Amino acid sequence: MVCETCAQLSWELERLALQENEFKEIFQELSNQCKKYSCDLLDMCRSTEEVIAVLNRRGDGEDDDSHLTLARLKMALKYNQKQNEKSSAVCQFVAHPNCQQLLTSEWYGGLPVWRGRNWVVKVLLCVSLITCIPLIALLYLLFPRSRIGLLIRSPFMKFIYHSASFGFFLMLLVLASTRTEGSERSRQNLRGPPLSIVEWLIFFWVVGMVWSECKQLWEEGFKAYLRQWWNWLDFIMLSLYLATFSLKAVAYLYTAERFGPRTLERGHWPNNDPTLVSEGVFAVANVFSFARIIYLFQTNPHLGPLQISLGCMVIDIAKFLFIFFLVLTSFACGLNQLYWYYDANTEYCEVRPDGRPVNCQRNHDAFMTIGNTFTTLFWSLFGIGNPKSTDLVEDDRFIETVGQGLFMSYHVAAIVVLINMLIAMMTKSFQVIEDHADREWKFARSKLWMSYFDEGSTMPPPFNIIISPKSVYYFFRGLVTQCHRDIKVGQEERYVGKDRIKMNGMVPRDDTSSNTHYQEVMRRLVSRYIHQAKKQLRQGGVNEDDLLEIKQDISSLRYELREDRRNEAERNAAHMEALKQDLMHSHDWDAFKMEIVDAIRDEIKNLLQTHSPSLSSSVLYQTHLYTEF
């Protein structure tokens, strides 16, 4: 749970960094520290078993060693576990070599002969696999559990077939857009024509892609589906195609009844004709379809960073367009307010002496309406405009001067300032991606690869719309399981506690072994991390932590010395008190006093005997007096 907690905490800190601008740098630094810690733990792995234990952990006590789910890697991709451009860390969880090595081995697991081959063999192998798509699809529909079925369900094979399916779809779009046959030309004046063979194939492909997107939305959830920008592109593209075929159906069924004759020159068609609208929507959908092929560039190490840079530039362009629209609107309103009083339809002519008008002129309608003003200002950015559009035939010098000043100010603000600002923003985004091209590409490639690791969506469009025996079996098995579960629930309501468990034969799942294995792996990784951190601190010389540790040691030594001194004083006092008590209890004080006096007398007598008699008598007298006293 360590890596999961770090990912969630870093995500929460980044969210707080966006909300709390006052502490933005602090939150970002803490978020990067959490990311670096999880990456350092992955760096401590010394075997594939430990890497699998870390990446395959589901969380909440759920772990399945029999099936490689890479749940922790999916969580890292979900929480966007990569350092931002301001971080100095060089490690990234998703782009870590241990993680990428395991992911690559599982990606090519279904086709191990692919790796290590030159590009010629790869192209031939890819072409042969794509050529056999109908046969392989038939085999998979009939025998989904066979060896061929398991091979098709591998992530790499699913990627090849889905990419080939989308390539065929683009080829159909090209055929639908470049029809030159006489029979097709004869349909140009036909309102609501029936669908051709190519259009029917496109329809089936669209239905298959819609069904695939619905399954993806069901499996991932609504929020996770919306987090991926490419899903937005798919949604717009498929919505346009569905609108196209709906309009074609309306035009085919109701044109003769509500919109006039079916065969009519195109110049006489109404502007809201369903056929015209469907053709316009179909053209826009084709643009989105061909733009989606950029999504596949993420698998290439050379085109992948360019595709990521392009995505960042699109964000910069969206920011720029917001500011540019404000500038454009301000100048458009000003110029339109200045020129709308003048009529563009009135002619001003010179009259000859004979009364005939010559040199007739009209005012330019570039700024007469707000729509024309927006159009003129926009196209003037690309040099498509007339500098004389600010002139008036009324020869109003003040209005013309103000108009020319606004027009020139607009070009300076838009071209010199805003366009160069956009170029600087795009250059910065490209440089940021270029500085971390390898990590950014691996992160984007991992997101693309992980979308093919989940079960389901094996067959590409339009083969996925075919109801297979496996789907029928799963459907009826789900119905039986649901009915059986409802019966169990009804029976369990009459029992509580252990009786209910005994009746249904339900045994709680024992995850002790898997949890113990995971905890043991994480304990080893954390121990290695701590050991590595201490080793780096020792090799780094004296730092603030070392000084703090020395200070704590000195304080501890001082405290120990004070304690020893106080204990020694207490021991001496106790020893003297014990000696005094022994003396008081072991002798009689009167007898002890007499012994001392006798000892002193004997000492004095010995002293007197060694000196003169006079001195002896004097000393004896004094001693007698002292003793009497």
Side-chain angles (χ1 to χ4, degrees):
M1 302 295 291
V2 177
C3 296
E4 181 180 2
T5 304
C6 289
Q8 294 176 350
L9 183 58
S10 64
W11 175 267
E12 184 67 21
L13 290 171
E14 287 184 350
R15 187 182 64 83
L16 291 175
L18 297 177
Q19 297 179 354
E20 304 291 340
N21 294 324
E22 295 80 4
F23 305 97
K24 182 177 181 180
E25 295 183 358
I26 299 176
F27 285 133
Q28 287 181 349
E29 182 63 25
L30 293 175
S31 176
N32 290 329
Q33 290 180 5
C34 294
K35 296 176 182 178
K36 185 177 183 302
Y37 177 68
S38 60
C39 184
D40 290 341
L41 286 181
L42 185 61
D43 194 32
M44 295 294 109
C45 296
R46 299 178 180 175
S47 63
T48 306
E49 179 184 1
E50 294 180 350
V51 176
I52 294 176
V54 173
L55 298 181
N56 210 44
R57 184 71 177 180
R58 294 177 180 270
D60 299 333
E62 297 181 4
D63 194 9
D64 187 8
D65 296 334
S66 61
H67 180 61
L68 191 63
T69 59
L70 301 178
R72 191 59 50 81
L73 180 59
K74 295 179 181 178
M75 180 199 63
L77 293 172
K78 173 184 176 181
Y79 289 113
N80 198 25
Q81 290 296 289
K82 62 178 181 179
Q83 278 73 20
N84 53 31
E85 62 272 9
K86 296 182 180 180
S87 176
S88 59
V90 297
C91 183
Q92 190 181 107
F93 187 86
V94 179
H96 195 276
N98 293 337
C99 183
Q100 289 294 313
Q101 189 272 338
L102 179 62
L103 182 62
T104 304
S105 61
E106 290 298 320
W107 174 257
Y108 295 105
L111 196 65
V113 297
W114 181 270
R115 302 183 67 183
R117 306 295 179 182
N118 55 33
W119 66 272
V120 178
V121 177
K122 290 182 179 179
V123 169
L124 294 177
L125 184 60
C126 187
V127 170
S128 60
L129 291 174
I130 294 175
T131 306
C132 300
I133 285 181
L135 179 60
I136 292 177
L138 179 61
L139 293 176
Y140 178 78
L141 292 175
L142 297 178
F143 309 102
R145 297 296 181 180
S146 61
R147 295 183 60 182
I148 297 180
L150 296 177
L151 177 63
I152 298 174
R153 291 166 59 186
S154 62
F156 181 63
M157 295 295 294
K158 289 166 64 175
F159 171 75
I160 290 180
Y161 289 136
H162 281 76
S163 302
S165 174
F166 191 75
F168 282 119
F169 177 70
L170 296 181
M171 292 177 59
L172 292 175
L173 295 180
V174 172
L175 293 177
S177 304
T178 58
R179 293 173 295 187
T180 59
E181 296 83 358
S183 59
E184 298 293 338
R185 286 293 181 182
S186 62
R187 298 174 51 180
Q188 63 180 355
N189 296 326
L190 183 61
R191 304 172 64 190
L195 296 178
S196 61
I197 297 177
V198 176
E199 291 175 340
W200 274 111
L201 292 176
I202 293 175
F203 174 76
F204 288 127
W205 244 273
V206 170
V207 172
M209 288 189 289
V210 170
W211 175 242
S212 179
E213 291 296 319
C214 292
K215 293 177 65 177
Q216 182 181 355
L217 178 62
W218 175 264
E219 293 172 359
E220 295 182 358
F222 185 72
K223 293 183 178 180
Y225 183 84
L226 293 180
R227 289 194 189 102
Q228 302 180 19
W229 291 100
W230 294 106
N231 290 334
W232 289 79
L233 181 61
D234 293 338
F235 176 79
I236 295 174
M237 178 188 70
L238 296 176
S239 300
L240 292 175
Y241 280 120
L242 292 178
T244 298
F245 289 110
S246 300
L247 290 170
K248 285 182 176 294
V250 170
Y252 178 76
L253 296 175
Y254 299 105
T255 295
E257 299 177 2
R258 299 185 181 181
F259 299 100
R262 183 174 294 274
T263 302
L264 186 66
E265 291 290 335
R266 277 184 171 264
H268 302 288
W269 290 12
N271 294 328
N272 60 346
D273 189 274
T275 304
L276 291 178
V277 178
S278 65
E279 291 174 354
V281 175
F282 185 71
V284 177
N286 289 347
V287 175
F288 282 96
S289 300
F290 281 91
R292 192 188 182 280
I293 200 173
I294 303 176
Y295 177 66
L296 303 178
F297 288 174
Q298 298 178 9
T299 58
N300 188 275
H302 304 289
L303 299 177
L306 295 179
Q307 183 266 335
I308 300 172
S309 301
L310 180 61
C312 295
M313 291 178 184
V314 170
I315 299 176
D316 294 336
I317 293 174
K319 298 177 182 178
F320 166 79
L321 288 179
F322 178 76
I323 301 176
F324 175 73
F325 180 75
L326 295 179
V327 175
L328 180 65
T329 304
S330 61
F331 281 97
C333 293
L335 288 170
N336 180 248
Q337 178 65 28
L338 191 65
Y339 284 94
W340 77 279
Y341 295 99
Y342 299 90
D343 192 1
N345 297 322
T346 304
E347 291 185 351
Y348 294 88
C349 306
E350 297 179 3
V351 181
R352 297 180 62 179
D354 57 359
R356 291 168 48 187
V358 294
N359 298 328
C360 295
Q361 296 180 357
R362 292 184 180 183
N363 287 323
H364 293 280
D365 61 348
F367 306 112
M368 297 303 173
T369 61
I370 190 67
N372 291 343
T373 306
F374 271 103
T375 304
T376 302
L377 293 179
F378 177 78
W379 288 113
S380 64
L381 289 176
F382 307 97
I384 306 175
N386 187 5
K388 298 295 184 180
S389 57
T390 57
D391 295 341
L392 294 172
V393 296
E394 289 87 352
D395 198 16
D396 193 336
R397 293 296 180 183
F398 179 77
I399 297 298
E400 291 179 357
T401 302
V402 175
Q404 290 178 359
L406 290 176
F407 202 39
M408 289 187 295
S409 300
Y410 165 75
H411 281 84
V412 172
I415 298 177
V416 178
V417 179
L418 294 181
I419 297 298
N420 285 279
M421 182 183 70
L422 175 62
I423 295 173
M425 293 171 59
M426 297 171 66
T427 303
K428 179 179 179 295
S429 299
F430 177 79
Q431 191 61 42
V432 168
I433 300 300
E434 188 67 21
D435 293 340
H436 311 284
D438 185 68
R439 285 185 290 165
E440 293 289 341
W441 167 66
K442 288 180 179 178
F443 186 87
R445 185 187 65 172
S446 300
K447 292 183 67 174
L448 174 63
W449 282 5
M450 290 304 299
S451 61
Y452 293 94
F453 271 80
D454 296 331
E455 295 291 337
S457 299
T458 303
M459 299 307 301
F463 299 101
N464 60 340
I465 61 178
I466 302 175
I467 301 177
S468 62
K470 183 185 70 172
S471 302
V472 176
Y473 168 73
Y474 285 162
F475 176 75
F476 285 105
R477 190 182 70 174
L479 288 179
V480 173
T481 303
Q482 184 64 32
C483 295
H484 186 60
R485 186 181 295 111
D486 294 339
I487 295 174
K488 279 187 176 182
V489 170
Q491 294 176 351
E492 289 173 359
E493 290 178 352
R494 295 175 294 177
Y495 297 90
V496 294
K498 298 181 180 180
D499 295 337
R500 180 175 59 184
I501 298 177
K502 291 180 180 179
M503 170 190 168
N504 296 298
M506 297 167 58
V507 180
R509 181 182 175 182
D510 186 12
D511 294 332
T512 305
S513 59
S514 60
N515 290 334
T516 303
H517 174 67
Y518 174 75
Q519 293 174 2
E520 180 63 26
V521 171
M522 294 306 300
R523 190 181 297 111
R524 291 199 301 264
L525 297 181
V526 172
S527 299
R528 295 170 191 168
Y529 175 80
I530 296 175
H531 177 73
Q532 184 69 18
K534 290 183 178 179
K535 184 178 179 181
Q536 293 178 357
L537 290 176
R538 288 194 298 267
Q539 294 177 352
V542 180
N543 51 25
E544 185 179 357
D545 294 335
D546 296 334
L547 295 177
L548 181 61
E549 185 177 358
I550 294 173
K551 183 179 180 181
Q552 293 176 352
D553 293 340
I554 294 174
S555 300
S556 301
L557 180 60
R558 184 188 302 172
Y559 177 77
E560 292 177 358
L561 291 176
R562 288 179 178 177
E563 288 292 327
D564 293 341
R565 186 180 299 173
R566 184 169 61 251
N567 294 334
E568 185 67 23
E570 291 178 356
R571 284 196 300 269
N572 292 336
H575 180 69
M576 294 299 296
E577 184 68 23
L579 181 60
K580 181 179 178 181
Q581 294 293 333
D582 292 340
L583 292 175
M584 292 179 63
H585 291 289
S586 61
H587 299 281
D588 188 4
W589 279 104
D590 294 335
F592 183 67
K593 182 178 180 182
M594 293 303 296
E595 290 180 0
I596 294 176
V597 172
D598 291 342
I600 294 174
R601 286 178 179 175
D602 293 339
E603 190 67 26
I604 292 173
K605 288 179 180 180
N606 293 332
L607 181 64
L608 292 175
Q609 291 177 1
T610 57
H611 295 82
S612 60
S614 59
L615 181 60
S616 300
S617 61
S618 176
V619 174
L620 181 61
Y621 178 74
Q622 293 176 1
T623 307
H624 177 70
L625 292 177
Y626 176 77
T627 55
E628 289 295 331
F629 178 77

